[in-house]
Amino acid sequence: MGRRSVLAGALAAGTVATVSGAVPSLPAARGERTSAAAEPARGFHGVHQAGILTPKRRCAAFVAFDVTAADHAGLAELFGTLTERLRFLATGGSTGGVPDPLGISAPPADSGVLGPALPADALTVLLAVGSSLFDGRFGLAARKPLRLSTMPAFPDDDLDPALCHGDLLLQLEADDTDVLAHALRDLARHTRGGMQVRWRIDGFSSPPRPVGTPRNLLGFRDGTANPDTGDERLMDRLVWVGPGQGEPAWAAGGSYLAVRLIRMLVEFWDRVGIIEQERMFGRQKASGAPLDGQRESDAPDFGADPTGDVIPMDSHIRMANPRTAQTDDQRLLRRGFNYDRGTDPNGNLDMGLVFCAYQQDLARQFATVQKRLAGEPLVDYIRPFGGGYFFALPGVRNTNHRFGNGLLF
């Protein structure tokens, strides 16, 4: 039996039915690299949604929903409610946490988790739609984003259907977990009957250790080769949907999102020698530099190493991004979060990565890269088990706009 078969067998009984879990409280990240984007660091209104180019926050919740609204009118009402509530949650203000004047038995208008007022700028929100929203229920098939499809199972996947896909996806980020808890309770209260949770996973953004790009739970820097978010032309080429791309007009300003829930078999990984670990990634573990470089920011010179004597041909960085003219437009904007769900029924540590990547074209970018990574040595130590493809809606431009403008309204 191969290593992957042995590891898969050892963990087969450890599959967990639920994805939700507590997010540890983290200290403020110091020295973390932040986006140089022209957009404001936070905020709700804009051409694009926050949560794509804005700096990551310390805690996140990814929640997929099945829409339970009965018809187009019900879906439009749901989107209107989501716009209203997400705008309030992102901008802050009085929660009105006292009973309405209907008598002493009336419930309070807010859970009270954050007190009588929601702090301004406490939450970053993002709303995306899945392919299933465009089936026959709501009459939206003709308006479906051109490149939106259902995420397939790739060769090294072990997907649980209950933890995949969804009509809607909310990506919520905050610096404190009680802000996320408050937001989810507020949304559950105001959208009851319109949507129901399909799956959820919580994550956290690690601070730099000690400097540079934060690390994943295998101990390596994650996102070093991200494209420059301050380069607007590059973002227009790699991330944003725009005119002239065959997309419906309403989709301009949106972006395609690939979410992958990836368990990392950390107990097995921690028994692997450092040289083998570094050769699997193609980078030095301590500094994040490529094996042919000295600093994390150094670009690997694959041309000077054509047979992989320094950076192996099957290393992760070489397979994911060969750095050729032909693969330049396949780059992704990664926005990943670590997760820790405690232990599985076998007592194994259950932790890993919520891989989150934005792009202009799922087939050209994420799917192409994923197929190129098939069979890489790293697959013996990771197990993708859920996620999906989604389309992040264009931003809500002002108080007169709603999510789904041009799609539903």
Side-chain angles (χ1 to χ4, degrees):
M1 297 176 67
R3 281 189 300 178
R4 182 168 175 80
S5 299
V6 173
L7 298 179
L11 287 164
T15 303
V16 180
T18 180
V19 189
S20 62
V23 181
S25 180
L26 297 176
R30 297 185 181 275
E32 184 171 358
R33 297 195 315 171
T34 57
S35 167
E39 292 187 288
R42 307 287 184 223
F44 181 77
H45 294 124
V47 175
H48 311 298
Q49 289 194 69
I52 301 177
L53 300 189
T54 54
K56 286 195 301 183
R57 307 189 90 147
R58 291 183 294 178
C59 315
F62 292 82
V63 191
F65 297 87
D66 293 325
V67 172
T68 55
D71 50 26
H72 186 282
L75 181 64
E77 182 180 358
L78 173 63
F79 270 56
T81 300
L82 285 171
T83 304
E84 175 190 345
R85 299 316 303 168
L86 291 173
R87 179 189 286 120
F88 168 69
L89 293 169
T91 55
S94 172
T95 61
V98 296
D100 292 327
L102 299 177
I104 60 174
S105 63
D110 184 80
S111 65
V113 170
L114 299 180
L118 182 64
D121 199 31
L123 186 74
T124 299
V125 302
L126 182 135
L127 177 63
V129 296
S131 178
S132 56
L133 189 70
F134 298 87
D135 58 17
R137 290 172 293 166
F138 308 113
L140 299 177
R143 299 182 181 182
K144 183 178 180 179
L146 180 66
R147 296 168 176 85
L148 183 60
S149 61
T150 301
M151 185 184 74
F154 291 95
D156 299 308
D157 290 356
D158 185 16
L159 300 182
D160 179 348
L163 305 178
C164 295
H165 319 307
D167 295 330
L168 304 176
L169 180 81
L170 276 174
Q171 173 188 317
L172 305 176
E173 300 179 24
D175 291 328
D176 299 291
T177 54
D178 60 348
V179 174
L180 294 179
H182 174 269
L184 289 169
R185 288 174 63 177
D186 183 277
L187 293 169
R189 175 175 182 159
H190 287 91
T191 62
R192 188 171 181 83
M195 64 184 192
Q196 181 173 333
V197 174
R198 180 180 178 87
W199 55 264
R200 169 187 169 187
I201 190 165
D202 295 342
F204 59 94
S205 177
S206 299
R209 305 288 188 189
V211 295
T213 306
R215 299 176 187 271
N216 60 37
L217 296 182
L218 296 182
F220 282 79
R221 309 279 177 92
D222 197 290
T224 296
N226 252 351
D228 180 7
T229 58
D231 186 333
E232 293 184 9
R233 290 186 178 181
L234 186 61
M235 294 298 98
D236 287 341
R237 185 162 64 87
L238 296 179
V239 175
W240 305 124
V241 165
Q245 297 172 9
E247 298 281 2
W250 70 265
S255 183
Y256 288 95
L257 167 62
V259 176
R260 302 270 287 172
L261 314 183
I262 304 173
R263 184 172 180 179
M264 294 176 167
L265 312 183
V266 293
E267 290 162 304
F268 294 99
W269 177 256
D270 290 342
R271 301 170 193 167
V272 177
I274 183 63
I275 293 177
E276 185 178 354
Q277 287 188 4
E278 291 183 337
R279 287 179 65 81
M280 276 191 263
F281 270 98
R283 291 189 178 275
Q284 300 167 33
K285 193 169 188 177
S287 68
L291 295 181
D292 64 352
Q294 300 297 320
R295 297 174 297 276
E296 179 189 356
S297 58
D298 290 344
D301 189 354
F302 297 143
D305 182 28
T307 58
D309 295 330
V310 180
I311 302 178
M313 302 299 291
D314 60 359
S315 64
H316 184 76
I317 67 168
R318 195 159 194 157
M319 296 178 72
N321 183 6
R323 295 177 182 264
T324 66
Q326 294 74 27
T327 60
D328 185 65
D329 67 349
Q330 298 168 9
R331 288 179 292 161
L332 308 160
L333 179 63
R334 297 182 57 160
R335 192 182 180 88
F337 289 83
N338 296 323
Y339 80 80
D340 183 352
R341 299 191 295 169
T343 57
D344 65 20
N346 284 345
N348 296 308
L349 297 175
D350 186 356
M351 54 182 61
L353 177 70
V354 184
F355 175 94
C356 176
Y358 288 93
Q359 64 239 270
Q360 190 179 82
D361 185 329
L362 285 162
R364 185 188 87 212
Q365 294 168 271
F366 174 78
T368 297
V369 173
Q370 193 64 29
K371 291 172 184 176
R372 195 161 54 230
L373 288 170
E376 65 168 326
L378 195 58
V379 301
D380 285 343
Y381 303 95
I382 61 175
R383 183 169 63 83
F385 62 91
Y389 286 168
F390 300 92
F391 183 75
L393 297 172
V396 177
R397 299 197 177 205
N398 54 53
T399 55
N400 296 319
H401 278 225
R402 291 169 284 183
F403 283 119
N405 261 35
L407 171 63
L408 292 168
F409 307 105

